[in-house]
């Protein structure tokens, strides 16, 4: 199993980035895929998640209306489109996969995920 996150970079306030998580070695229909982030000096927090069973998508309040999560089953990718970025979005972003994990997905809780990718750094300057 491998989750490979990519797409991070440096942008100015109001800019956009698209993060991608390439997933291999597990059936996407059986796994929820989530994005978390960890800012310097802060705890890791949930950003968004898509359920494997019914494609329900959940967002943390700080990113609602600005971030959009999507899944490309054919290419086994999960994308996080981030628009109108703010300095407070600066963090290392991680993708994670959990078998089933419907409850974890909806609540964006940190624990319970089976596999994690390496992080990709997003820096938003004012």
């Amino acid at each position: 199993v491998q989750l490979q996150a990519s797409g991070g970079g440096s942008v100015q306030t109001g800019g956009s980035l698209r993060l991608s998580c390439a997933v291999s070695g597990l059936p996407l229909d059986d796994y929820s895929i989530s994005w978390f982030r960890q800012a310097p000096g802060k705890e890791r927090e949930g950003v968004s998640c898509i359920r494997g069973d019914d494609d329900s998508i959940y967002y943390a309040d700080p990113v609602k209306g600005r971030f959009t999560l999507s899944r490309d089953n054919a290419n086994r990718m999960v994308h996080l489109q981030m628009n109108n970025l703010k300095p407070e979005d600066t963090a290392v972003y991680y993708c994670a996969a959990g078998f089933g994990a419907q409850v974890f997905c909806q609540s964006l809780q940190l624990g319970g995920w089976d596999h994690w990718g390496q992080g990709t750094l997003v820096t938003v300057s004012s």
Side-chain angles (χ1 to χ4, degrees):
V1 176
Q2 186 173 19
L3 281 72
Q4 183 76 32
S6 62
S10 297
V11 297
Q12 292 187 328
T13 297
S16 298
L17 284 172
R18 188 174 85 151
L19 305 184
S20 297
C21 180
V23 182
S24 61
L26 56 83
L28 286 179
D29 287 349
D30 293 336
Y31 280 77
S32 296
I33 307 295
S34 61
W35 283 95
F36 288 81
R37 67 185 181 185
Q38 188 164 17
K42 294 187 177 181
E43 294 185 353
R44 193 171 298 189
E45 63 178 5
V47 175
S48 185
C49 180
I50 182 168
R51 285 174 47 161
D53 58 345
D54 67 1
D55 292 343
S56 294
I57 297 175
Y58 306 94
Y59 297 98
D61 286 343
V63 308
K64 283 181 180 177
R66 300 188 297 122
F67 290 11
T68 302
L69 188 68
S70 62
R71 189 172 69 197
D72 177 356
N73 287 336
N75 292 301
R76 301 185 60 80
M77 303 282 284
V78 176
H79 302 291
L80 184 68
Q81 177 66 43
M82 307 187 297
N83 297 329
N84 191 21
L85 283 161
K86 304 176 180 180
E88 51 263 43
D89 295 317
T90 295
V92 177
Y93 285 71
Y94 301 87
C95 55
F99 180 74
Q102 289 89 345
V103 173
F104 302 155
C105 187
Q106 184 170 358
S107 63
L108 293 173
Q109 67 183 63
L110 183 59
W113 298 93
D114 301 309
H115 309 284
W116 289 84
Q118 92 296 353
T120 186
L121 177 63
V122 171
T123 304
V124 185
S125 59
S126 56

